[in-house]
Amino acid sequence: MTTTVHVRTSQPYNVHIGHNRIDPVVESLPGAATRVAIIHSAPMAQRADALRGRVEASGRQGVLIEGPDAEAGKTAEVAAVCWQVLGKSDFTRTDVVVGLGGGAVTDLAGFVAATWLRGIGVIQIPTTVLAMVDAAVGGKTGLNTTEGKNLGGAFHEPLGVWCDLDTLATLPVYDRVAGLAEVVKGGFIADATILELAQAHASALRAEELSDDGLDVLQTLIARKIQVKATVVAADLKES
């Protein structure tokens, strides 16, 4: 089952939460896009290659760009490498960037898309709980500098966000719980049902391996937290 959250900004888009999201992502690509750059980190290399295969089966050119993992990938130097690849691959304004990975990757992909030819389309495929409920939704992108985190950036809304719950199966428990802390924050902000569900299913959510019931609850929590963020960004996209 797939849950969809609609983000009602000036450029509306949908966030889809479910399983086996590769084919739907390819089907959602704009018809005018002939090239797709998939920016990913090393742990997502196999999944990125599978996505490229689907992209090329659709008659488009797929380009893989692997960056450093985590915050080391969010630098101007890494963005410059991405621009170089896009340039050598003749990316135009109708082509698309895909961010496949955690929050650092979705930040980088969003920034690269926002700045290439002054803005091309980006699709986000977050692969951690934290990225699904926060970084990939809302159009905020960012790069780190030696002076601080996220000091470079742009607001650039995605064409769509696809949260594939299958990517959470191998996520370390520590990372899953860290993401759930962000979910719980949304409960305190606007949705008390999040707090009730998290408390009632705490053991299942902290289990080494998620049961089917635990995964169902996690999907519900992710969707509800995304709805909280969607409401906030729809009212004040640029944090004015």
Side-chain angles (χ1 to χ4, degrees), residues 10-232:
S10 59
Q11 297 176 309
Y13 57 93
N14 289 324
V15 183
H16 309 274
I17 309 105
H19 298 271
N20 188 24
R21 298 291 85 201
I22 288 182
D23 287 334
V25 168
V26 175
E27 292 164 3
S28 74
L29 290 169
T34 59
R35 301 169 189 84
V36 179
I38 303 162
I39 298 178
H40 66 95
S41 56
M44 288 292 114
Q46 185 174 357
R47 188 171 289 267
D49 193 50
L51 178 57
R52 179 178 64 173
R54 298 289 208 286
V55 166
E56 295 187 339
S58 74
R60 300 173 172 91
Q61 178 186 356
V63 178
L64 296 181
I65 306 176
E66 182 176 311
D69 203 9
E71 295 298 311
K74 289 176 50 176
T75 67
E77 292 77 13
V78 176
V81 171
C82 295
W83 292 327
Q84 185 178 42
V85 174
L86 297 184
K88 289 182 176 180
S89 302
D90 298 321
F91 267 63
T92 69
R93 282 202 174 105
T94 59
D95 295 324
V96 173
V97 169
V98 173
L100 174 64
V105 171
T106 60
D107 269 8
L108 173 66
F111 181 83
V112 169
T115 51
W116 183 253
L117 297 176
R118 300 181 182 87
I120 66 173
V122 62
I123 293 174
Q124 301 288 17
I125 310 177
T127 60
T128 66
V129 175
L130 184 56
M132 290 178 184
V133 301
D134 187 39
V137 179
K140 287 170 62 178
T141 74
L143 297 184
N144 302 332
T145 73
T146 54
E147 288 72 34
K149 180 178 168 65
N150 291 335
L151 294 182
F155 291 96
H156 189 60
E157 294 179 83
L159 300 174
V161 180
W162 299 82
C163 303
D164 191 343
L165 298 173
D166 296 338
T167 63
L168 303 181
T170 58
L171 193 69
V173 174
Y174 177 89
D175 290 339
R176 188 196 316 146
V177 172
L180 283 167
E182 181 69 23
V183 173
V184 168
K185 186 172 76 173
F188 284 108
I189 292 170
D191 184 357
T193 299
I194 289 176
L195 305 179
E196 295 166 4
L197 287 170
Q199 186 170 13
H201 299 277
S203 295
L205 292 168
R206 288 198 303 262
E208 286 289 334
E209 292 188 15
L210 282 169
S211 64
D212 289 344
D213 288 344
L215 198 55
D216 287 345
V217 173
L218 184 59
Q219 180 173 356
T220 299
L221 288 171
I222 289 172
R224 295 189 79 98
K225 171 56 172 68
I226 290 172
Q227 184 60 68
V228 172
K229 180 153 190 181
T231 301
V232 172

